Amino acid sequence: MGQCGITSSKTVLVFLNLIFWGAAGILCYVGAYVFIIYDDYDHFFEDVYTLIPAVVIIAVGALLFIIGLIGCCATIRESRCGLATFVIILLLVFVTEVIVVVLGYVYRAKVEDEVDRSIQKVYKTYNGTNPDAASRAIDSVQRQLHCCGIHNYSDWENTDWFKETKNQSVPLSCCRETASSCNGSLAHPSNLYAEGCEALVVKKLQEIMMHVIWAALAFAAIQLLGVLCACIVLCRRTRDPAYELLISGGAYA
């Protein structure tokens, strides 16, 4: 009965190690995704704190690949030292992922204040005739998120660009996709996106942070199962010398 329990635990542990390799790829993808999105929205917040969970989760993903390798070798060979190392590393990674979750929630709450503080500056520096990086970022966000202005399209009337052009129009990126004849004129507001960009940018960034949080939570749960199975194999082997002799062919590993 004891051998059956250990064998089952070993099978689950080997399967979990394979999951760890898959998890490593997924976590690295999630972290890379945050970096890509940050590149699109970095003009809307000055601090790079949102990248900290992404950096940590990429590091965890790389470590999970190594953990999977160590776990498979230790499980197949039933090495006490290997299994103990496997458990310790898993616990350290688990603690790291808990930190990622905490940082994710903390930074998620800060996103709104940061965007609110920075977005005004970005819109004031808009220059549609000779777009710089900030101007391109505004046009890109307005097209992607289907928004116009900070709170609505009327915010453009307070920008230097609007006052200098004197044509009573907003950037073409404010035009609805369905409005084929839109030229950005405020005389036809129905052709423009009605919702402002600030709330949508905040929502997008918070959604990204939630992706990081849920990924960390999911794989933290898997790691706890891995720790449990490794501990079962390790404890049963330590307490059952006969089983150890049976597996090792009469010689201790």
Side-chain angles (χ1 to χ4, degrees):
M1 184 69 178
Q3 294 179 13
C4 182
I6 296 176
T7 303
S8 299
S9 298
K10 285 175 60 180
T11 302
V12 173
L13 192 53
V14 171
F15 179 70
L16 285 174
N17 286 320
L18 296 178
I19 292 179
F20 288 154
W21 283 336
I26 294 174
L27 290 177
C28 288
Y29 170 80
V30 172
Y33 175 72
V34 173
F35 272 94
I36 293 172
I37 296 299
Y38 173 83
D39 190 53
D40 291 336
Y41 295 91
D42 62 343
H43 290 88
F44 297 96
F45 48 93
E46 297 172 353
D47 294 332
V48 294
Y49 56 77
T50 50
L51 292 181
I52 295 177
V55 172
V56 175
I57 207 168
I58 288 176
V60 168
L63 189 57
L64 275 179
F65 181 82
I66 299 174
I67 290 173
L69 184 61
I70 294 174
C72 278
C73 293
T75 303
I76 293 173
R77 298 182 60 183
E78 292 204 3
S79 167
R80 281 199 192 101
C81 181
L83 285 172
T85 301
F86 176 69
V87 170
I88 292 172
I89 295 177
L90 272 184
L91 288 174
L92 290 175
V93 173
F94 174 78
V95 171
T96 303
E97 289 185 335
V98 171
I99 293 173
V100 169
V101 171
V102 173
L103 289 176
Y105 272 108
V106 171
Y107 294 152
R108 184 175 179 271
K110 291 183 177 181
V111 165
E112 186 171 359
D113 291 337
E114 179 63 26
V115 172
D116 182 60
R117 184 169 61 250
S118 302
I119 197 170
Q120 301 276 353
K121 299 177 183 178
V122 179
Y123 270 82
K124 285 184 177 180
T125 60
Y126 184 85
N127 186 344
T129 57
N130 185 22
D132 55 10
S135 299
R136 289 195 300 272
I138 290 174
D139 285 329
S140 175
V141 165
Q142 290 190 153
R143 289 192 180 98
Q144 288 180 20
L145 302 182
H146 297 171
C147 58
C148 183
I150 299 173
H151 303 103
N152 54 59
Y153 59 80
S154 65
D155 292 323
W156 280 104
E157 297 181 54
N158 300 319
T159 63
D160 295 336
W161 172 82
F162 184 88
K163 296 172 183 177
E164 289 172 2
T165 56
K166 299 179 181 179
N167 58 7
Q168 297 297 305
S169 64
V170 297
L172 294 179
S173 56
C174 283
C175 291
R176 296 179 182 271
E177 293 179 345
T178 55
S180 58
S181 60
C182 177
N183 61 2
S185 174
L186 292 178
H188 303 284
S190 60
N191 290 335
L192 308 175
Y193 293 122
E195 192 167 358
C197 293
E198 181 178 1
L200 294 179
V201 168
V202 169
K203 181 180 178 182
K204 182 69 173 180
L205 294 175
Q206 289 180 337
E207 285 178 353
I208 294 169
M209 201 62 67
M210 284 305 300
H211 291 161
V212 174
I213 291 171
W214 283 114
L217 284 174
F219 293 115
I222 294 174
Q223 284 165 221
L224 280 181
L225 183 57
V227 169
L228 178 62
C229 291
C231 286
I232 291 174
V233 174
L234 190 60
C235 292
R236 289 286 181 84
R237 173 169 180 171
T238 301
R239 296 175 181 177
D240 191 356
Y243 175 73
E244 184 179 345
L245 285 170
L246 177 65
I247 296 299
S248 59
Y252 288 98

